[in-house]
């Protein structure tokens, strides 16, 4: 049986919370049922990048090509990979080293969707392999999940935005057929939207992360849960507790969804 401390240790939070006097118990917990016993802080701004909101970035209109959408919607995995690798549907292709497709079991029950590749991902061709990726792996481990095994990991945009800026809505729209086809092929039981860009992309809502988390949304008839982006958590480590709560919420939803 995992304990509160086990989870916090995996999120590299145990010491912080012991120092803050926020954890006093060593009570055994079941991840599917636990209500964390640790005091939460006031909700505050939780955009995945400070002072930048995806919706506010200057939009360079991209013509939506319905024929491209229909073509991609009929692709199998191999064709989708080829299409992604060669994609030039928006300006992000100009500075990328490579497009970053996604990683994981093609029939995974869990689909985690981030924002877009950073420098390490652009170099290595795999999502979430940098610092944020290490934290995501710890979050997955806290929920008993492993990258590439029970979980598929993808991004809203497949190419690195220059300087790791937030992708524009148009860039997200240009990449939408690729992500939508991934979702349709995987048919996950549950999608976890990591950060505001993914939440806006999947729910259409620009409401604060604080108001979006802890609820079940829906995209293409698949339940969606909003969770703080690992990069945000790296900047605000004490907020990791909320990610832990979100992971427990996601686990409990998954248990319900998996029931016959
Ligand atoms: N941040 C993301 O949103 N995705 C990645 O792949 C890496 C960092």
């Amino acid at each position: 049986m995992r304990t509160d401390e086990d989870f916090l240790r995996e999120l590299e939070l145990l010491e912080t919370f012991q120092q803050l006097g926020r954890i006093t118990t060593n009570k055994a917990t079941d991840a599917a049922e636990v209500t964390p016993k640790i005091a939460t802080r006031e909700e505050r701004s939780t955009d995945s990048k400070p002072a930048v909101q995806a919706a506010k970035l200057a939009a360079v209109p991209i013509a939506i090509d319905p024929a491209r959408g229909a073509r991609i919607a009929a692709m199998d995995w191999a064709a989708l990979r080829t299409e992604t690798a060669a994609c030039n549907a928006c300006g992000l292709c100009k500075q990328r080293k490579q497009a970053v497709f996604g990683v994981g079991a093609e029939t995974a029950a869990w689909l985690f969707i981030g924002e877009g590749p950073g420098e390490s991902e652009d170099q290595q061709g795999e999502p979430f392999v940098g610092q944020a990726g290490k934290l995501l792996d710890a979050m997955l481990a806290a929920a008993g999940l492993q990258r590439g095994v029970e979980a598929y990991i993808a991004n809203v945009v497949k190419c690195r935005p220059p300087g790791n800026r937030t992708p524009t809505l148009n860039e997200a729209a240009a990449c939408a057929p690729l992500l939508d086809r991934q979702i349709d092929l995987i048919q996950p039981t549950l999608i976890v939207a990591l950060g505001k860009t993914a939440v806006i992309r999947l729910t259409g809502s620009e409401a604060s992360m604080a108001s979006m988390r802890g609820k079940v949304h829906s995209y293409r008839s698949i339940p969606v849960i909003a969770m703080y982006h690992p990069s945000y958590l790296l900047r605000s480590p004490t907020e990791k507790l909320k990610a832990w709560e979100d992971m427990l919420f996601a686990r409990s939803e998954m248990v319900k969804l998996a029931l016959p």
Side-chain angles (χ1 to χ4, degrees):
M1 182 83 73
R2 303 168 86 84
T3 65
D4 288 351
E5 283 84 346
D6 290 334
F7 283 93
L8 292 174
R9 192 174 292 110
E10 277 163 23
L11 293 181
E12 298 170 5
L13 264 182
L14 185 57
E15 214 176 302
T16 311
F17 279 89
Q18 280 168 341
Q19 281 164 5
L20 290 171
R22 290 189 183 190
I23 180 159
T24 52
T25 68
N26 190 26
K27 189 172 171 293
T29 55
D30 177 340
E33 294 170 3
V34 67
T35 304
K37 308 284 182 300
I38 298 163
T40 56
R41 300 193 330 170
E42 292 273 306
E43 301 284 6
R44 63 171 196 233
S45 170
T46 53
D47 293 341
S48 66
K49 293 208 173 83
V52 181
Q53 291 189 5
K56 290 192 181 151
L57 283 171
V60 180
I62 285 174
I64 300 295
D65 175 359
R68 172 175 173 261
R71 195 168 49 77
I72 292 173
M75 285 179 176
D76 62 13
W77 279 109
L80 189 60
R81 280 180 184 280
T82 306
E83 177 79 16
T84 304
C87 182
N88 58 4
C90 78
L92 293 183
C93 63
K94 291 187 193 136
Q95 292 181 52
R96 70 173 179 223
K97 284 201 170 52
Q98 58 191 311
V100 178
F101 184 69
V103 65
E106 292 170 356
T107 54
W110 294 80
L111 173 59
F112 288 80
I113 301 181
E115 180 176 288
E119 187 177 13
S120 309
E121 291 77 20
D122 184 50
Q123 274 165 5
Q124 295 180 43
E126 181 169 330
F128 284 100
V129 290
Q131 284 308 309
K134 289 198 179 75
L135 178 55
L136 178 60
D137 284 343
M139 290 161 63
L140 294 178
L145 304 174
Q146 247 182 294
R147 163 188 294 262
V149 183
E150 299 88 357
Y152 194 98
I153 305 173
N155 279 312
V156 169
V157 295
K158 311 299 182 199
C159 300
R160 181 189 181 198
N164 296 345
R165 67 163 168 74
T166 304
T168 65
L169 292 179
N170 277 297
E171 288 160 352
C175 231
L178 301 174
L179 179 61
D180 285 349
R181 188 58 187 151
Q182 283 178 306
I183 294 170
D184 288 349
L185 285 169
I186 299 168
Q187 283 296 307
T189 307
L190 182 68
I191 298 176
V192 178
L194 296 167
K196 198 149 187 173
T197 299
V199 169
I200 292 174
R201 168 67 181 81
L202 297 178
T203 68
S205 170
E206 294 175 25
S208 68
M209 283 297 291
S211 66
M212 295 300 279
R213 61 188 281 269
K215 298 175 186 152
V216 182
H217 311 275
S218 173
Y219 184 68
R220 294 170 101 76
S221 304
I222 297 167
V224 175
I225 284 177
M227 201 177 288
Y228 292 114
H229 192 284
S231 299
Y232 167 74
L233 298 171
L234 288 173
R235 292 192 303 272
S236 310
T238 53
E239 298 287 73
K240 285 182 190 170
L241 175 60
K242 289 180 183 164
W244 176 42
E245 292 169 348
D246 293 341
M247 195 59 97
L248 296 176
F249 176 59
R251 279 276 307 249
S252 66
E253 284 307 309
M254 180 59 103
V255 168
K256 281 192 236 161
L257 290 164
L259 288 175

